[in-house]
Amino acid sequence: MGFGADPEAISDAIANARANEIDNAHFFAGDVRLALGELVEKAGRPDVMIVDPPRAGLSQKIVRRMIEAAPRRLIYVSCNPTTLAPNAAQLVEAGYEFRRVRPVDMFPQTPHIECVAELVRAA
């Protein structure tokens, strides 16, 4: 399941899924703050949730919605490690365990670095 605010990106995701004969993925456009709860009600709790927020990170409201969705595993792709930290702290406080983080240098010879973090809901 994919969710994003940009309808064009969602159209691209749907087209890519069709082109690759992927029929077990669904994509939705809209404001995640408003729609995530309803989506979980209809589709059930996700096993894994992958988020790739803007440089500003996730708002506290979106993090609360993620916590309410209660996925077993969270993958957080961050283009700004300084905004990953407070979001990860909020998730850890809610019962997630910070398993690992991996820096990814997608822009060599610049100060920008991506991080991919894994958080798992404590049993």
Side-chain angles (χ1 to χ4, degrees):
M1 184 176 313
F3 201 90
D6 182 357
E8 276 189 49
I10 297 302
S11 292
D12 289 346
I14 292 168
N16 284 329
R18 283 189 188 131
N20 289 290
E21 299 178 6
I22 296 170
D23 59 5
N24 63 348
H26 305 281
F27 303 94
F28 305 92
D31 185 338
V32 71
R33 291 172 298 172
L34 304 173
L36 186 58
E38 182 181 341
L39 195 56
V40 169
E41 274 183 36
K42 289 182 180 179
R45 297 199 182 280
D47 291 327
V48 178
M49 184 178 288
I50 302 169
V51 296
D52 186 359
R55 290 193 65 72
L58 297 169
S59 71
Q60 287 188 1
K61 187 172 185 176
I62 291 176
V63 175
R64 282 194 306 270
R65 295 289 181 265
M66 291 167 50
I67 292 165
E68 290 166 4
R72 287 184 309 177
R73 207 166 131 216
L74 288 164
I75 306 298
Y76 189 122
V77 180
S78 176
C79 62
N80 185 357
T82 60
T83 60
L84 166 62
N87 287 163
Q90 191 177 359
L91 291 162
V92 167
E93 187 176 302
Y96 282 86
E97 179 182 305
F98 197 84
R99 285 276 172 94
R100 60 186 157 180
V101 63
R102 170 90 31 128
V104 181
D105 189 2
M106 295 180 63
F107 308 102
Q109 300 177 13
T110 73
H112 301 290
I113 191 157
E114 301 269 332
C115 288
V116 180
E118 177 187 25
L119 296 100
V120 177
R121 194 173 63 217

